[in-house]
Amino acid sequence: MAQQLIVGLIVAAAAFYAVWRWMPAGWRRSAAQKVAAGTHRAGLVDQQRAEQLAASLAKTSGCGSCDSCGSCGPKATDKKHAEEAGRDPLSTHSR
């Protein structure tokens, strides 16, 4: 019986993580604010720690946000400068 309870808790935690990870960013930020406010209201953390918790929960992880890493391709200004220099803006090889 105890093993089934432990496995159930692990599965529930994994499901919660998956839902949180793939949740749209707007929903995640809103839910993070609500969770942080709830922990502050319950007296578990002070206001400063609640703000840190909300910021931490609202962050995207790893490759979840393509616009943050800059590896998806050249920016428009980089492309313009490359074209002015007479080279292919998508080429990563230097001449």
Side-chain angles (χ1 to χ4, degrees):
M1 179 65 181
Q3 289 177 338
Q4 292 173 341
L5 182 62
I6 292 170
V7 169
L9 290 173
I10 291 171
V11 170
F16 179 77
Y17 174 78
V19 168
W20 189 268
R21 167 72 170 88
W22 296 107
M23 184 185 302
W27 293 4
R28 187 173 36 252
R29 283 190 298 270
S30 175
Q33 289 293 330
K34 290 176 183 175
V35 168
T39 58
H40 178 62
R41 271 194 313 271
L44 300 174
V45 295
D46 61 355
Q47 181 63 31
Q48 181 181 7
R49 182 66 183 134
E51 291 170 4
Q52 290 173 348
L53 177 64
S56 176
L57 290 174
K59 287 182 185 175
T60 58
S61 61
C63 294
S65 179
C66 288
D67 62 345
S68 66
C69 70
S71 67
C72 292
K75 295 180 183 175
T77 57
D78 294 342
K79 192 177 192 180
K80 180 179 150 189
H81 293 304
E83 288 172 351
E84 289 173 357
R87 56 187 169 90
D88 182 12
L90 300 178
S91 174
T92 57
H93 304 291
S94 61
R95 293 184 184 185

